[in-house]
Amino acid sequence: MKQTETVRKKIRRKIRATGSLAILTALVCMLSACGSQENVKENGGTYHVGICQWEQHVALDEATKGFQEALTDKLGEEVTFDVQIAQGSTQDCQEILNGFVADEADLIMANATSALMAASQATNTIPIVATSITDYGTALNMREWTGASGINVTGTSDLAPIESQADMIMELVPEAEKVGILYCSAETNSIYQAQKMSSILTDKGITIGTYTIADKTELEKAAQKAASECDVLYIPTDNTIASQADILKEILVSAKVPMIAGEEGLCEAGIATLSISYYDIGYTAGEMAYEILAEGKNPGEIEVRYAENVTKKYNPENCEALGIAVPDDYEAL
């Protein structure tokens, strides 16, 4: 067995036996010395990274692409990926992650909140770098969130400023009296955003209608109901709904109801979004993975990173169909 792989296995056995953060830190330093990029190349070793993507849609696909390209840019052929998509299934997600643990992956990338929650349950020793996460404190069930997890988890967030999204609703649909918030109640990231948006709009004197689905089979009925009762909809970054954006678009355009989307991919069915680049947050997550693998950094000490830029974007086709006038500071999708 190659030197780097032997060291990693010793580290994991020691961590399991002691659970000591102090020993973990010392052993990570050992891995840094014995398992650096140079040693991997000298010994012909390769870093094995398991990627679990919760659902297949544009935003998550871009995040996975960015992550892989960042690590490949840094490590070249010295890294291999096992990319698996859970297709929104909790059982499949757990099986994928248990497989990565059994294979003793050097690092796990969890793409989306549900994937991170499952990954953190599957292992407390293998480093986990997540992306497309709205709120890490919520995802990891940590009441006192300080920016770094203190455990084997770090990553990047896809949270765009919700206050600015609320302003966008009022700017583009100023006559709106009732805003419908539609999301999947099985996604903690969606619940977090929906509650924040509801509070902000209520404070602005806007009436709120809340519409939830348990899974994608309920989307059509819930969207039709929301469209019939509200002047405009808001849908946060929601993987379940994003995977059905084409269905949603048909419903909303037919009903002539505008929708503000939490992310760019979902804006296929909406009029505008305050967009981040999922490729960019995926790429940043890949750079963080490199810091852990090749530089020996402790994931629990690396603070979660956020998108550096957000952009106001609009869907020209849908805006034209709905007669929405868009200010000059918006970019076309």
Side-chain angles (χ1 to χ4, degrees):
M1 182 175 291
K2 296 180 178 63
Q3 180 184 6
T4 53
E5 294 172 352
T6 302
V7 171
R8 291 185 186 106
K9 289 186 177 180
K10 286 181 179 178
I11 287 175
R12 288 175 188 142
R13 283 198 295 269
K14 190 67 175 176
I15 292 171
R16 293 187 187 106
T18 65
S20 168
L21 285 176
I23 292 177
L24 171 59
T25 302
L27 290 171
V28 166
C29 291
M30 182 194 305
L31 177 56
S32 177
C34 298
S36 67
Q37 183 183 357
E38 292 182 359
N39 281 340
V40 168
K41 290 182 178 180
E42 289 172 4
N43 292 285
T46 303
Y47 293 113
H48 302 289
V49 176
I51 297 177
C52 180
Q53 181 174 317
W54 173 249
E55 186 72 86
Q56 190 160 28
H57 60 78
V58 174
L60 298 189
D61 290 347
E62 282 295 297
T64 292
K65 179 182 177 182
F67 178 85
Q68 289 181 277
E69 291 191 359
L71 270 183
T72 301
D73 287 346
K74 294 282 190 180
L75 296 171
E77 296 181 357
E78 308 306 324
V79 61
T80 61
F81 302 100
D82 182 0
V83 182
Q84 299 194 42
I85 299 174
Q87 300 296 1
S89 166
T90 300
Q91 180 177 345
D92 289 353
C93 190
Q94 291 171 340
E95 290 177 359
I96 290 168
L97 290 159
N98 287 338
F100 292 160
V101 173
D103 291 341
E104 295 191 321
D106 296 309
L107 183 139
I108 292 171
M109 192 276 255
N111 191 350
T113 299
S114 296
L116 171 58
M117 293 169 68
S120 65
Q121 293 171 359
T123 178
N124 60 4
T125 57
I126 297 175
I128 299 169
V129 176
T131 191
S132 312
I133 311 299
T134 300
D135 181 69
Y136 279 79
T138 300
L140 297 172
N141 196 27
M142 293 182 175
R143 294 183 179 179
E144 300 297 328
W145 179 253
T146 61
S149 71
I151 57 175
N152 61 318
V153 175
T154 190
T156 56
S157 172
D158 63 355
L159 182 63
I162 296 178
E163 179 75 48
S164 297
Q165 293 176 352
D167 291 340
M168 182 177 287
I169 293 172
M170 302 184 74
E171 178 179 50
L172 296 179
V173 195
E175 73 280 4
E177 295 181 357
K178 183 176 182 179
V179 176
I181 301 178
L182 174 63
Y183 63 96
C184 178
S185 59
E187 295 195 32
T188 57
N189 55 300
S190 299
I191 295 171
Y192 174 86
Q193 293 169 88
Q195 290 176 341
K196 290 283 188 181
M197 180 61 78
S198 179
S199 176
I200 291 168
L201 290 177
T202 298
D203 288 345
K204 293 178 182 293
I206 302 295
T207 301
I208 301 298
T210 301
Y211 306 85
T212 62
I213 62 172
D215 56 48
K216 63 183 67 176
T217 64
E218 298 181 357
L219 176 60
E220 186 171 357
K221 183 178 179 180
Q224 289 173 341
K225 181 175 174 59
S228 69
E229 297 177 351
C230 301
D231 303 309
V232 58
L233 298 189
Y234 168 73
I235 301 179
T237 54
D238 187 293
N239 297 299
T240 303
I241 297 179
S243 67
Q244 304 289 301
D246 54 340
I247 295 174
L248 185 64
K249 176 179 179 178
E250 184 176 345
I251 293 169
L252 297 183
V253 173
S254 176
K256 297 190 180 300
V257 174
M259 183 267 286
I260 302 299
E263 51 92 5
E264 187 171 320
L266 187 56
C267 202
E268 173 188 339
I271 59 167
T273 182
L274 190 63
S275 180
I276 67 164
S277 167
Y278 275 79
Y279 175 87
D280 287 351
I281 63 169
Y283 196 95
T284 299
E287 293 176 324
M288 297 167 81
Y290 174 81
E291 293 172 13
I292 294 165
L293 291 172
E295 298 177 358
K297 291 187 178 180
N298 181 348
E301 296 177 353
I302 301 175
E303 290 197 358
V304 166
R305 297 172 189 171
Y306 296 81
E308 293 184 0
N309 300 301
V310 292
T311 306
K312 297 166 92 173
K313 294 190 175 183
Y314 75 103
N315 184 318
E317 179 186 351
N318 292 348
C319 285
E320 182 178 358
L322 298 176
I324 302 293
V326 181
D328 293 337
D329 60 337
Y330 283 70
E331 294 182 8
L333 289 171

